[in-house]
């Protein structure tokens, strides 16, 4: 019995390993929060990612600056609405990932 992994469209046979760790990396970043009002706040979370091993594929995918920005609104003590934007050194802000979240604490 053997395991295979598809990497960049090519099947590679690894034997029976059970799992594989494709890369290891370090993240250095910060978390910034600015309260606009009691119910509205802004976040900006820049980070730098660098792979630690010699994996060129993962290095090309991850290495560099990554950004997350959020605008949050507190509906009440148990509910918030948040919108997020994520982009990196290869992706312009307007082409980044955007999402809207509704959070309810039980």
């Amino acid at each position: 019995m053997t395991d295979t992994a598809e990497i960049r469209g090519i099947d590679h046979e690894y034997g029976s390993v059970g799992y594989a760790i494709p890369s290891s990396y370090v993240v250095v970043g910060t978390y910034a929060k600015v309260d606009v009002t009691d119910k509205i706040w802004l976040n900006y979370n820049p980070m730098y990612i660098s792979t630690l091993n010699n994996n060129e594929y993962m290095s090309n995918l991850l290495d560099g600056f990554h950004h997350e920005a959020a605008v949050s609104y507190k509906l009440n003590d148990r509910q918030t609405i948040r919108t997020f934007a994520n982009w990196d050194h290869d992706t312009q802000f307007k082409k980044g990932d955007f999402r809207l979240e509704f959070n309810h604490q039980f």
Side-chain angles (χ1 to χ4, degrees):
M1 174 176 229
T2 61
D3 292 332
T4 60
E6 184 179 325
I7 301 173
R8 289 179 265 167
I10 301 169
D11 281 333
H12 296 274
E13 190 173 308
Y14 289 106
S16 184
V17 295
Y19 64 90
I21 300 172
S23 188
S24 56
Y25 56 92
V26 64
V27 177
V28 177
T30 188
Y31 174 86
K33 179 181 177 186
V34 174
D35 291 326
V36 178
T37 69
D38 290 344
K39 294 188 174 218
I40 299 171
W41 66 95
L42 309 172
N43 295 101
Y44 175 60
N45 310 317
M47 63 197 92
Y48 182 78
I49 298 176
S50 179
T51 52
L52 297 175
N53 58 347
N54 192 19
N55 185 328
E56 185 178 339
Y57 175 74
M58 293 303 285
S59 180
N60 291 339
L61 187 65
L62 290 175
D63 286 359
F65 283 98
H66 297 258
H67 309 271
E68 179 179 70
V71 177
S72 305
Y73 179 73
K74 181 177 175 181
L75 296 170
N76 55 50
D77 287 339
R78 297 177 65 190
Q79 296 177 329
T80 59
I81 295 175
R82 304 186 76 194
T83 184
F84 292 87
N86 294 89
W87 69 100
D88 61 30
H89 59 285
D90 290 329
T91 307
Q92 294 178 352
F93 175 81
K94 65 183 178 181
K95 293 184 180 183
D97 294 324
F98 297 91
R99 65 188 185 280
L100 182 65
E101 254 182 31
F102 170 76
N103 297 302
H104 178 83
Q105 295 178 0
F106 291 98

